[in-house]
């Protein structure tokens, strides 16, 4: 079994209205000093087998084809 | 400036229909050997100031009050 964590975040410069809304909500709740909030997604994927090199390639392909929109998002893959 | 990454994931045992849907979609796309997928959220927060201890407490409070539903979700805070 291979456990991996994929983190997908918006590229710099891409507007993040959800992050802005959270920033506003934190201010409303009394949390001062929040300069910026940006929201992303995380995927915890468990793969069968023990082929780490193959897993790395497969996880990158999954990101490119389904998990991330590479026009506006970056992704990182961390294999545990 | 303090940069922190908050990761919010579902607790073990909590159903994750979104993760299940992704698992199914990966299978449909031809990715074999996917044992499990669970989806979570990530928040990149930038705080003003340089008080790391204060920031840690403030970020935990943000999670408890807004960013995570601690009944069904766990969170981790990593300060860069």
């Amino acid at each position: 079994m291979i456990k991996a964590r994929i983190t997908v975040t918006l590229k710099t410069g891409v507007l993040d209205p959800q992050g802005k809304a959270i920033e506003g909500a934190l201010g409303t709740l009394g949390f001062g000093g929040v300069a910026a909030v940006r929201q992303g997604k995380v995927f915890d994927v468990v793969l069968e087998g023990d082929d780490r090199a193959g897993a790395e390639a497969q996880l990158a392909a999954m990101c490119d084809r389904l998990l991330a929109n590479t026009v506006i998002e970056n992704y990182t893959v961390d294999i545990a």
Side-chain angles (χ1 to χ4, degrees), chain A residues 4-46:
Chain A
R5 169 161 285 185
I6 293 166
T7 308
V8 177
T9 51
L10 284 171
K11 288 185 179 175
T12 312
V14 177
L15 285 179
D16 180 10
Q18 198 169 3
K20 280 281 166 206
I22 294 165
E23 207 178 310
L26 288 171
T28 307
L29 285 173
F31 293 106
V34 179
V37 179
R38 292 186 62 89
Q39 179 163 7
K41 285 170 281 187
V42 63
F43 303 95
D44 289 320
V45 181
V46 182

Coordinates of all heavy atoms in Angstrom, one line a residue, chain A residues 4-46:
Chain A
A4 N -0.6 8.6 -0.3 CA -0.1 9.8 -0.9 C -1.0 10.9 -0.5 O -2.2 10.7 -0.4 CB 0.1 9.7 -2.4
R5 N -0.5 12.1 -0.4 CA -1.3 13.3 -0.2 C -1.1 14.2 -1.3 O 0.1 14.7 -1.6 CB -1.0 14.0 1.1 CG -1.7 15.3 1.3 CD -1.8 15.8 2.7 NE -2.8 15.1 3.4 CZ -3.2 15.3 4.7 NH1 -2.6 16.3 5.3 NH2 -4.1 14.6 5.2
I6 N -2.2 14.6 -2.0 CA -2.1 15.5 -3.2 C -2.7 16.8 -2.7 O -3.8 16.9 -2.2 CB -2.9 15.0 -4.4 CG1 -2.2 13.7 -4.9 CG2 -3.0 16.0 -5.5 CD1 -3.1 12.9 -5.9
T7 N -2.0 17.9 -2.9 CA -2.5 19.2 -2.5 C -2.6 20.1 -3.7 O -1.7 20.2 -4.5 CB -1.5 19.9 -1.5 OG1 -1.2 19.0 -0.4 CG2 -2.2 21.2 -0.9
V8 N -3.8 20.6 -3.9 CA -4.1 21.4 -5.1 C -4.4 22.8 -4.6 O -5.3 23.0 -3.8 CB -5.3 20.8 -5.9 CG1 -5.7 21.7 -7.1 CG2 -5.0 19.4 -6.3
T9 N -3.7 23.8 -5.1 CA -3.9 25.2 -4.7 C -4.0 26.1 -6.0 O -3.5 25.7 -7.0 CB -2.7 25.7 -3.9 OG1 -1.5 25.4 -4.6 CG2 -2.7 25.0 -2.5
L10 N -4.7 27.2 -5.8 CA -4.8 28.1 -6.9 C -3.4 28.8 -7.2 O -2.7 29.1 -6.3 CB -5.8 29.2 -6.6 CG -7.3 28.8 -6.7 CD1 -8.1 29.9 -6.1 CD2 -7.7 28.5 -8.1
K11 N -3.2 29.0 -8.5 CA -1.9 29.7 -8.9 C -2.0 31.1 -8.4 O -3.1 31.7 -8.3 CB -1.8 29.6 -10.4 CG -1.4 28.3 -10.9 CD -1.1 28.3 -12.4 CE -0.7 26.9 -12.8 NZ -0.5 26.7 -14.3
T12 N -0.8 31.7 -8.2 CA -0.7 33.1 -7.8 C -1.4 34.0 -8.9 O -1.2 33.7 -10.1 CB 0.8 33.5 -7.7 OG1 1.4 32.5 -6.9 CG2 0.9 34.8 -7.0
G13 N -2.2 34.9 -8.4 CA -2.8 35.8 -9.4 C -4.2 35.4 -9.7 O -5.0 36.2 -10.2
V14 N -4.6 34.1 -9.5 CA -5.9 33.7 -9.8 C -6.8 34.1 -8.6 O -6.5 33.9 -7.5 CB -6.0 32.1 -10.0 CG1 -7.4 31.7 -10.2 CG2 -5.1 31.7 -11.1
L15 N -7.9 34.8 -9.0 CA -8.8 35.3 -7.9 C -9.4 34.1 -7.1 O -9.7 33.1 -7.7 CB -10.0 36.1 -8.5 CG -9.6 37.5 -9.1 CD1 -10.9 38.1 -9.7 CD2 -9.1 38.3 -7.9
D16 N -9.5 34.3 -5.8 CA -10.1 33.3 -4.9 C -11.2 33.9 -4.1 O -11.0 34.2 -2.9 CB -8.9 32.7 -4.0 CG -9.4 31.6 -3.1 OD1 -10.6 31.2 -3.2 OD2 -8.6 31.3 -2.2
P17 N -12.4 33.9 -4.6 CA -13.5 34.5 -3.9 C -13.8 33.8 -2.6 O -14.2 34.4 -1.6 CB -14.7 34.5 -4.9 CG -14.2 33.7 -6.0 CD -12.8 33.5 -6.0
Q18 N -13.7 32.5 -2.6 CA -13.9 31.7 -1.4 C -12.9 32.1 -0.3 O -13.3 32.3 0.9 CB -13.8 30.2 -1.7 CG -14.4 29.3 -0.7 CD -14.5 27.8 -1.3 OE1 -14.0 27.5 -2.4 NE2 -15.1 27.0 -0.5
G19 N -11.7 32.2 -0.6 CA -10.7 32.7 0.3 C -11.0 34.1 0.9 O -10.9 34.3 2.1
K20 N -11.4 34.9 0.0 CA -11.8 36.3 0.4 C -13.0 36.3 1.4 O -13.0 37.1 2.3 CB -12.2 37.1 -0.9 CG -11.0 37.7 -1.6 CD -10.4 38.9 -0.9 CE -9.0 39.2 -1.5 NZ -8.1 39.9 -0.6
A21 N -13.9 35.4 1.1 CA -15.1 35.3 2.0 C -14.7 34.8 3.4 O -15.2 35.3 4.4 CB -16.1 34.3 1.4
I22 N -13.8 33.9 3.4 CA -13.3 33.4 4.7 C -12.5 34.5 5.4 O -12.7 34.6 6.6 CB -12.4 32.1 4.5 CG1 -13.2 31.0 3.9 CG2 -11.7 31.7 5.8 CD1 -12.3 29.9 3.3
E23 N -11.7 35.2 4.7 CA -11.0 36.4 5.3 C -12.0 37.3 5.9 O -11.8 37.8 7.1 CB -10.3 37.0 4.1 CG -9.0 37.8 4.5 CD -8.3 38.4 3.3 OE1 -8.1 37.6 2.3 OE2 -8.0 39.6 3.3
G24 N -13.1 37.6 5.2 CA -14.1 38.5 5.7 C -14.8 37.9 7.0 O -15.0 38.6 8.0
A25 N -15.1 36.6 6.9 CA -15.8 36.0 8.0 C -14.9 36.0 9.3 O -15.3 36.2 10.4 CB -16.2 34.6 7.6
L26 N -13.6 35.8 9.1 CA -12.6 35.8 10.2 C -12.6 37.1 10.9 O -12.6 37.3 12.1 CB -11.2 35.3 9.8 CG -11.1 33.9 9.4 CD1 -9.7 33.6 8.8 CD2 -11.2 33.0 10.7
G27 N -12.6 38.2 10.0 CA -12.7 39.6 10.5 C -14.0 39.8 11.3 O -13.9 40.4 12.4
T28 N -15.1 39.3 10.8 CA -16.4 39.5 11.5 C -16.4 38.8 12.9 O -17.0 39.2 13.8 CB -17.5 38.9 10.6 OG1 -17.4 39.5 9.3 CG2 -18.9 39.1 11.2
L29 N -15.6 37.6 12.9 CA -15.6 36.9 14.2 C -14.6 37.5 15.2 O -14.4 37.0 16.3 CB -15.1 35.4 13.9 CG -16.2 34.5 13.3 CD1 -15.6 33.2 12.9 CD2 -17.3 34.3 14.3
G30 N -13.9 38.6 14.8 CA -13.0 39.2 15.7 C -11.5 38.8 15.6 O -10.7 39.3 16.4
F31 N -11.2 38.1 14.5 CA -9.8 37.7 14.3 C -9.1 38.8 13.5 O -9.4 39.0 12.3 CB -9.7 36.4 13.6 CG -10.1 35.2 14.4 CD1 -11.3 34.6 14.1 CD2 -9.3 34.7 15.4 CE1 -11.7 33.5 14.8 CE2 -9.8 33.6 16.2 CZ -11.0 33.0 15.9
G32 N -8.3 39.6 14.2 CA -7.6 40.7 13.5 C -6.3 40.2 12.9 O -5.8 39.1 13.2
G33 N -5.7 41.1 12.1 CA -4.4 40.8 11.5 C -4.3 39.7 10.5 O -3.2 39.2 10.3
V34 N -5.4 39.4 9.9 CA -5.4 38.4 8.8 C -5.1 39.1 7.5 O -5.9 39.8 7.0 CB -6.7 37.6 8.7 CG1 -6.7 36.6 7.6 CG2 -7.0 36.9 10.1
A35 N -3.9 38.8 6.9 CA -3.5 39.5 5.7 C -4.1 38.9 4.5 O -4.4 39.5 3.5 CB -2.0 39.6 5.6
A36 N -4.2 37.6 4.5 CA -4.7 36.9 3.3 C -5.1 35.4 3.6 O -4.6 34.8 4.5 CB -3.7 36.8 2.2
V37 N -6.2 34.9 2.9 CA -6.6 33.5 3.0 C -6.8 33.0 1.6 O -7.4 33.7 0.8 CB -7.9 33.3 3.9 CG1 -8.2 31.9 3.9 CG2 -7.7 33.9 5.3
R38 N -6.2 31.9 1.3 CA -6.5 31.2 0.0 C -6.9 29.8 0.3 O -6.2 29.1 1.1 CB -5.3 31.3 -0.9 CG -5.1 32.8 -1.3 CD -4.1 33.0 -2.4 NE -4.3 32.5 -3.7 CZ -4.9 33.0 -4.7 NH1 -5.6 34.2 -4.5 NH2 -4.9 32.5 -5.9
Q39 N -7.9 29.3 -0.3 CA -8.4 27.9 -0.1 C -7.9 27.0 -1.2 O -7.9 27.4 -2.4 CB -9.9 27.9 0.1 CG -10.3 26.5 0.3 CD -11.7 26.3 0.9 OE1 -12.5 27.3 1.0 NE2 -12.1 25.1 1.2
G40 N -7.6 25.8 -0.8 CA -7.3 24.7 -1.8 C -7.9 23.4 -1.4 O -8.7 23.4 -0.5
K41 N -7.5 22.4 -2.1 CA -8.1 21.1 -1.8 C -6.9 20.1 -1.5 O -5.8 20.2 -1.9 CB -8.8 20.6 -3.1 CG -10.1 21.2 -3.3 CD -10.7 20.9 -4.7 CE -10.0 21.7 -5.7 NZ -10.6 21.6 -7.1
V42 N -7.3 19.1 -0.8 CA -6.3 18.0 -0.5 C -7.0 16.6 -0.7 O -8.2 16.5 -0.5 CB -5.8 18.2 1.0 CG1 -6.9 18.0 2.0 CG2 -4.6 17.2 1.2
F43 N -6.2 15.7 -1.3 CA -6.7 14.4 -1.6 C -5.8 13.4 -1.0 O -4.6 13.4 -1.3 CB -6.8 14.1 -3.1 CG -7.6 15.1 -3.9 CD1 -7.0 16.2 -4.5 CD2 -9.0 15.0 -4.0 CE1 -7.8 17.2 -5.2 CE2 -9.8 15.9 -4.7 CZ -9.2 17.0 -5.3
D44 N -6.3 12.5 -0.1 CA -5.5 11.5 0.4 C -5.8 10.2 -0.4 O -7.0 9.7 -0.3 CB -5.8 11.3 1.9 CG -5.3 12.4 2.8 OD1 -4.2 12.8 2.5 OD2 -6.0 12.9 3.7
V45 N -4.9 9.7 -1.1 CA -5.1 8.6 -2.0 C -4.3 7.4 -1.5 O -3.1 7.5 -1.1 CB -4.6 9.0 -3.4 CG1 -4.8 7.8 -4.4 CG2 -5.3 10.2 -3.9
V46 N -4.9 6.3 -1.4 CA -4.2 5.0 -1.1 C -4.2 4.1 -2.4 O -5.2 3.9 -3.0 CB -5.0 4.3 0.0 CG1 -4.2 3.0 0.4 CG2 -5.1 5.1 1.2

